[in-house]
Amino acid sequence: MSRILALVFSSILLFSASAMAQTHAAHEHGVATLDLAVSGTTFEVDLDGPLANFISFEHEPSTEAQKAEVAEMVAKLAKADELFKAPAEAKCGVKSVSLASEKIPAELFGQYASKEEPGHGHEAEAGHGHDHGHDHGDKPGHGHDHGHDHGDEAGHGHDHGHEGEEAGAEHGDLEAAYVFECADAAKLTGLEIGLFGVFPSLLEVEARVVSDKGQSAQELTPSGNLLKW
């Protein structure tokens, strides 16, 4: 998450405890979270979810086929104006795209590699309070408070069915941050979220918005993909 977006979300109490619990889900395949902050002529989007929403595995790519799949994912995520479609009259353009994952080497993200460590700032800076409710064995500093240990060992039977994953393998997440600049921000009243058509494994996006109109939370799906504020 960018520093500006982190400061926006850390400076105010966004929702009640119940709304926060609803907005931020566990590491659940098919579900991602989206934070959006509108400030002046700029809006920033922070997308966070399991790698399985975007590629077919959640471990570090080890084969050329897996690296090619990552490259395809990066190319799709880089097309920010197709994933987050602002009203044409707002005349918005993409300023930056930043990608990170604890499972994907930064060099595979190329020019879009984040300068921050994956997971940095989600609780320490932004105060998101993600309580995922279970322990995936994340490394210290990942920023997720999982709450209990799955006890993932061989024979545990916790099989996600992903290519190359073995019992006990850690889950992996993707973090994507986008910055847009708009010539006529007054016309920016919503976004059409194009993620679902690009990533069919993504079934739900839990979004929250901060703008000069206040704060709101919204659940987006392939049939209801318009984020309004």
Side-chain angles (χ1 to χ4, degrees):
M1 173 178 287
S2 73
R3 186 166 298 277
I4 294 175
L5 186 54
L7 289 173
V8 169
F9 278 100
S10 63
S11 64
I12 57 176
L13 180 62
L14 291 173
F15 310 108
S16 66
S18 60
M20 288 287 288
Q22 181 180 1
T23 301
H24 293 292
H27 178 104
E28 181 179 353
H29 294 176
V31 180
T33 60
L34 185 153
D35 289 330
L36 185 145
V38 184
S39 177
T41 61
T42 299
F43 74 89
E44 301 188 31
V45 178
D46 182 62
L47 177 69
D48 189 353
L51 271 172
N53 294 340
F54 308 99
I55 53 177
S56 65
F57 55 92
E58 290 194 329
H59 54 79
E60 184 169 342
S62 58
T63 68
E64 291 305 312
Q66 290 170 352
K67 292 177 182 179
E69 190 175 348
V70 170
E72 182 179 358
M73 174 189 71
V74 171
K76 292 176 179 178
L77 289 168
K79 297 178 180 179
D81 53 355
E82 296 181 12
L83 302 179
F84 310 102
K85 302 176 185 178
E89 55 270 25
K91 300 177 182 178
C92 300
V94 183
K95 290 186 64 178
S96 68
V97 177
S98 178
L99 306 174
S101 173
E102 73 275 24
K103 297 298 185 181
I104 307 296
E107 58 266 23
L108 294 185
F109 288 126
Q111 63 180 308
Y112 305 111
S114 173
K115 294 181 174 61
E116 295 182 351
E117 290 294 326
H120 175 71
H122 279 270
E123 283 77 24
E125 288 189 20
H128 282 187
H130 292 236
D131 182 5
H132 290 269
H134 51 270
D135 185 2
H136 295 303
D138 288 344
K139 297 177 183 179
H142 184 264
H144 294 301
D145 180 11
H146 298 283
H148 69 264
D149 187 355
H150 268 178
D152 288 344
E153 298 176 357
H156 178 61
H158 191 65
D159 182 9
H160 290 281
H162 294 307
E163 176 188 349
E165 286 192 301
E166 298 176 355
E170 294 181 4
H171 295 293
D173 293 308
L174 174 79
E175 299 171 23
Y178 301 87
V179 180
F180 293 78
E181 186 76 26
C182 302
D184 191 352
K187 302 290 179 61
L188 182 64
T189 58
L191 290 178
E192 180 184 347
I193 305 302
L195 291 162
F196 301 105
V198 178
F199 300 104
S201 295
L202 184 60
L203 305 176
E204 180 183 313
V205 171
E206 297 176 351
R208 65 180 187 177
V209 178
V210 174
S211 71
D212 57 1
K213 297 179 181 179
Q215 301 90 46
S216 62
Q218 189 174 336
E219 185 178 288
L220 305 171
T221 64
S223 60
N225 66 337
L226 185 59
L227 179 60
K228 298 180 180 181
W229 60 87

